[in-house]
Amino acid sequence: MYNAVFKRAGLPWVYGARDLPEPAQAERFLAERDFLSINITTPYKPAALAAADVQAASARLAHGANVLANKGGTLIAYNTDGQGCVASLEREGVTFKGASVVVCGTGPTSLSILHAVAQAGPAEVVLVGRSVERSHEVLRTYADELGGMVGRIVDMPALREHHLSFAEVYKQVNFRYGSYDTSRQAIAGADIIIDATPLGMNEGDGAPFDTALLRADQTVFDVVYGHGETALAAAAREAGCTFFDGAGMLVGQAVVTVGILRDITETAALDIPEDELFAIMADAAGFDR
């Protein structure tokens, strides 16, 4: 995806993979800082955040980074998961404004998505996980950190038209929490359900919650893709839900990353319209769009 964009922009940059199976190797690679930008995936997002010199709000609120950008030797941490998720769903016609949204999971991907969903203007967002206590702790920390940001700095404006600023999220969006067992009513009543857990990446994985709760008029999104049909995907389709997997999110977060590279390098050649970027990257990845 990235190499297709670099080619389109006429840049000599190359995106590749680096096999670093041992933590010490990864630490040395980061310390050398011989890269412009890298992507990080589960379970190393918290470690990537800790390695950064500067933490963007997106990474700080998520407690994990999936992008490290090198600006003159300074490592800046970002988390583009949430923006990529919301942008890909909005591209498919999903409307968050005024909706009830359930986000499954309590890790960095879930928190990134939780915040991006909240910025899209829902009536409420419910964070659910295996434990009520864990969901409460994670949501309370997020709310405290968001409130601290709102209190310390000039309000950070919305990233997209019709979305909410940080202060508007803090003041307007109703956040709730629970477990898969205690939030059955919230899951059954949700307009949009987002599974941000890794369930489905391994054979035999079940869905995070009782899929008998699904209704035909719900939109269901699973961050997992490329591992065959997950249990949640199968159940959502059987229930008649509108279902999307994580392929669009992968492209969406990559589009955001290109914007980061454009900004930190001031490379005008990367000033490509978002729709065109999405098309270039989706085609390169072999995804339908």
Side-chain angles (χ1 to χ4, degrees):
M1 294 189 298
Y2 290 102
N3 287 332
V5 171
F6 300 155
K7 181 178 179 180
R8 157 68 173 76
L11 296 169
W13 301 350
V14 176
Y15 184 100
R18 186 65 72 93
D19 186 12
L20 302 169
E22 299 297 328
Q25 293 175 290
E27 290 172 6
R28 284 195 299 272
F29 176 71
L30 289 175
E32 291 168 358
R33 305 194 174 192
D34 188 23
F35 56 83
L36 174 60
S37 178
I38 57 174
N39 291 121
I40 305 96
T41 189
T42 301
Y44 299 112
K45 294 177 184 180
L49 180 68
D53 302 302
V54 178
Q55 300 173 355
S58 60
R60 193 178 312 156
L61 287 171
H63 285 203
N66 71 333
V67 175
L68 286 177
N70 186 346
K71 183 174 175 63
T74 297
L75 287 189
I76 308 172
Y78 301 87
N79 194 307
T80 63
D81 285 329
Q83 289 174 253
C85 172
V86 169
S88 68
L89 288 174
E90 290 184 329
R91 180 178 292 276
E92 297 287 352
V94 177
T95 300
F96 289 91
K97 187 173 178 59
S100 173
V101 185
V102 165
V103 177
C104 300
T106 55
T109 303
S110 305
L111 276 172
S112 181
I113 290 174
L114 175 94
H115 181 65
V117 164
Q119 287 191 292
E124 69 170 9
V125 184
V126 186
L127 183 70
V128 294
R130 288 172 292 182
S131 159
V132 173
E133 292 76 18
R134 172 63 177 164
S135 298
H136 183 204
E137 176 190 0
V138 168
L139 187 59
R140 181 181 59 192
T141 300
Y142 163 79
D144 288 346
E145 291 177 347
L146 178 63
M149 290 181 184
V150 170
R152 289 194 308 268
I153 59 178
V154 175
D155 189 21
M156 299 179 71
L159 296 171
R160 305 176 72 87
E161 189 177 358
H162 307 307
H163 281 202
L164 304 179
S165 68
F166 274 45
E168 288 169 334
V169 167
Y170 188 69
K171 295 174 183 176
Q172 296 179 24
V173 179
N174 179 33
F175 291 99
R176 296 196 291 133
Y177 65 89
S179 71
Y180 300 123
D181 289 334
T182 64
S183 300
R184 293 174 63 86
Q185 185 174 351
I187 293 169
D191 301 303
I192 303 167
I193 300 172
I194 297 175
D195 178 16
T197 74
L199 288 173
M201 295 185 71
N202 298 306
E203 188 175 353
D205 282 350
F209 56 84
D210 181 2
T211 56
L213 299 170
L214 294 173
R215 306 187 327 268
D217 60 345
Q218 291 175 311
T219 295
V220 178
F221 175 82
D222 192 338
V223 299
V224 173
Y225 69 95
H227 291 268
E229 186 175 55
T230 66
L232 179 60
R237 292 189 174 110
E238 183 176 353
C241 303
T242 300
F243 177 80
F244 302 99
D245 67 17
M249 172 178 159
L250 177 72
V251 180
Q253 61 88 16
V255 168
V256 177
T257 302
V258 171
I260 291 169
L261 293 177
R262 178 194 63 217
D263 292 342
I264 68 166
T265 63
E266 300 181 353
T267 301
L270 289 177
D271 194 15
I272 302 169
E274 186 175 301
D275 286 346
E276 185 177 349
L277 272 177
F278 193 95
I280 291 169
M281 290 181 141
D283 287 344
F287 296 146
D288 293 332
R289 53 182 175 82

